[in-house]
Amino acid sequence: MAWSPFRPDVMQDPANGYGELLEACPVHRCDAFDPPFYTLSRYADVAAALRDIETFSSQYGQGPRFTPPMGMLCDPPQHTFYRGLVQRSFTPRMIENLRPRVADLAAELIAQLAAQGEGDLHDEFAFPLPVVIIAELLGVPTEDLEQFKHWSDVQVAAMGARDPSVYAAEQAAFMDYMRNQLRARRADASRGITPANDLMTALATHRDNDAFLPEEQVLSVVNQLLVGGNETTTSLITNAVWRLLQEPERWQRLVADPDLVDQVVEESLRFDPPVLGLYRNTTRDVTLADQTIPAGSKVLLHYAAANRDPDVFSDPDCFDIDRPKRRHLAFGLGVHFCLGAAMARLEAEVALRSLAAHLPQLALIDDGERIGPFFLWGRRRLPVRCH
Ligand code: HEM
């Protein structure tokens, strides 16, 4: 059967299809989705498309459906403006300053897991860690955290769903909540109340030519931080732990030498990228490998397949933490390169170091199961034993 992201063996493990794409079908048309889309898989083609933003535009969204230009999900100059606004809160120093809080939270979650003796590494560790950190950064009140975590989950589930209307009511409730947060901050600012030092306040009260930014645009940026940052970082942590525990001697190498953690994180990003690929919209006809992609098409840039391209990575299907550093595409490339890459790396590094230090006997109970959306890769559950 021809490759499709929905083929059962590819849904179970997308790596089952990389060889076919790379060798036989570097430009693939998928008619099993509405709208149909093309897939590029070779490293050189994916990287070239990421650099050519005039031909491979983000103006109609980076997801599988056509959406209006919102927040950072578009082309320059709007993209440059909103990205610049958020980037101020993601400087290397600000990210590094998060380290002690991430370490404390990781230690707290690990202590709970250890006390239970076993548990779900996804639900009880890898999921709460990034959500709590981003919620604190945004300034979401602590009492709303559980609800916020739930909404974060809903956003991800809706993204790849064949029928996203199932999630519409919950998504609307989340947007109402964030809108109220934003309006409260604007009201405080107008009354001269000293602004809180959080990202939501910075975005809500930013003025351009003396006017606040359009509400829907600010909400889209906040949403992108959530959707782009939470499940992805959760998946990075669960994917890395899962791969290490599949061969316990790998886990024991990290336990014995925690400074391997950076190599583990980078190889995990290459081998099991949490975002398998994202979309662009062609602004003109493009001919590649003797095939023409018409203007106005959705094109999936398959980062995960590109990360297994033998022209760039030797023995690409081997998970090898000793691999010499090469630039993988797990965070994309070019103007849309992941804004949260440093934050994700820091959280994953702290998470893995803490687990290796406090739970050296960690073991898999079973492989759990894959999360839903076809262009994301992570575990929905990862049952582990601690001792
Ligand atoms: C392992 C974790 C993560 C992965 C694998 C990941 C992956 C990606 C990828 C592939 C892109 C490029 C989008 C494109 O090419 O269209 C991207 C963009 C982005 N990511 Fe991440 N991300 C992660 C974590 C985060 C975190 C923690 C945040 C923030 C809290 C974040 C925020 C963003 C934003 C705002 C963009 C859009 C940047 C732009 O369009 O200019 N990401 N991410």
Side-chain angles (χ1 to χ4, degrees):
M1 211 207 308
W3 182 85
S4 149
F6 307 108
R7 205 173 69 189
D9 62 319
V10 175
M11 275 308 284
Q12 198 202 344
D13 183 351
N16 287 329
Y18 299 157
E20 275 163 87
L21 279 175
L22 288 162
E23 281 157 34
C25 209
V27 180
H28 177 272
R29 185 184 154 99
C30 174
D31 289 303
F33 196 82
D34 183 19
F37 61 82
Y38 291 82
T39 298
L40 300 185
S41 51
R42 289 187 181 161
Y43 189 100
D45 294 340
V46 174
L50 286 168
R51 289 194 176 101
D52 182 0
I53 61 169
E54 281 177 14
T55 309
F56 292 91
S57 158
S58 298
Q59 198 67 1
Y60 301 103
Q62 290 156 334
R65 297 189 175 85
F66 293 95
T67 49
M70 287 301 266
M72 276 175 276
L73 295 170
C74 56
D75 291 337
Q78 179 178 328
H79 167 262
T80 320
F81 175 81
Y82 281 101
R83 183 171 169 118
L85 207 59
V86 181
Q87 216 154 17
R88 294 179 201 168
S89 303
F90 282 79
T91 62
R93 176 184 301 182
M94 284 166 155
I95 298 306
E96 192 49 41
N97 284 345
L98 295 173
R99 187 179 290 271
R101 174 64 185 131
V102 178
D104 282 354
L105 184 57
E108 200 183 301
L109 296 167
I110 289 172
Q112 281 166 21
L113 259 181
Q116 290 165 211
E118 60 180 51
D120 182 344
L121 195 87
H122 175 275
D123 279 10
E124 293 168 70
F125 181 72
F127 179 64
L129 192 73
V131 179
V132 170
I133 298 295
I134 193 72
E136 289 177 354
L137 205 71
L138 282 169
V140 172
T142 317
E143 63 269 23
D144 297 339
L145 214 58
E146 281 307 313
Q147 179 64 55
F148 186 80
K149 274 195 260 177
H150 170 70
W151 277 326
S152 167
D153 236 8
V154 167
Q155 295 295 74
V156 173
M159 241 190 329
R162 295 227 185 163
D163 179 11
S165 65
V166 176
Y167 300 98
E170 292 234 61
Q171 284 185 298
F174 174 60
M175 278 300 145
D176 285 346
Y177 172 84
M178 292 314 283
R179 192 173 291 109
N180 289 338
Q181 292 280 321
L182 181 146
R183 287 183 182 170
R185 283 162 171 80
R186 286 187 172 169
D188 284 354
S190 309
R191 279 190 250 116
I193 295 175
T194 312
N197 186 20
D198 62 51
L199 179 53
M200 190 72 190
T201 305
L203 293 170
T205 58
H206 183 86
R207 286 172 191 271
D208 189 37
N209 287 332
D210 228 25
F212 286 139
L213 301 171
E215 225 174 53
E216 295 310 309
Q217 297 290 349
V218 175
L219 292 176
S220 157
V221 169
V222 172
N223 201 30
Q224 196 176 359
L225 292 173
L226 272 185
V227 172
N230 282 342
E231 191 63 48
T232 49
T233 309
T234 298
S235 296
L236 173 56
I237 297 167
T238 45
N239 288 349
V241 173
W242 179 52
R243 269 312 159 203
L244 293 175
L245 294 181
Q246 277 177 336
E247 286 184 24
E249 57 275 22
R250 281 186 191 145
W251 176 251
Q252 286 311 322
R253 269 194 77 188
L254 181 66
V255 170
D257 183 1
D259 289 340
L260 288 175
V261 71
D262 290 343
Q263 284 158 251
V264 168
V265 169
E266 291 316 301
E267 180 63 349
S268 175
L269 283 163
R270 181 193 75 84
F271 198 77
D272 289 310
V275 180
L276 294 171
L278 284 173
Y279 289 79
R280 294 296 187 267
N281 311 274
T282 46
T283 56
R284 60 176 181 86
D285 291 359
V286 182
T287 302
L288 269 173
D290 295 331
Q291 242 194 287
T292 298
I293 305 174
S297 302
K298 276 278 173 192
V299 180
L300 173 64
L301 304 180
H302 206 314
Y303 306 138
N307 283 352
R308 303 285 187 102
D309 187 334
D311 285 349
V312 180
F313 301 97
S314 58
D315 205 359
D317 294 324
C318 170
F319 181 87
D320 176 9
I321 60 176
D322 300 313
R323 183 178 290 281
K325 221 172 178 174
R326 280 284 211 1
R327 186 164 197 171
H328 57 70
L329 295 177
F331 291 123
L333 187 76
V335 301
H336 292 284
F337 180 80
C338 177
L339 186 88
M343 188 168 165
R345 283 178 164 132
L346 180 130
E347 291 181 357
E349 186 213 317
V350 171
L352 290 172
R353 271 186 193 276
S354 312
L355 287 168
H358 298 293
L359 302 177
Q361 300 308 321
L362 196 66
L364 285 182
I365 295 176
D366 63 58
D367 288 324
E369 66 201 72
R370 179 190 175 169
I371 54 172
F374 68 90
F375 56 95
L376 299 180
W377 175 235
R379 317 306 300 163
R380 190 198 301 282
R381 289 186 311 114
L382 194 64
V384 290
R385 193 170 305 112
C386 300
H387 313 290

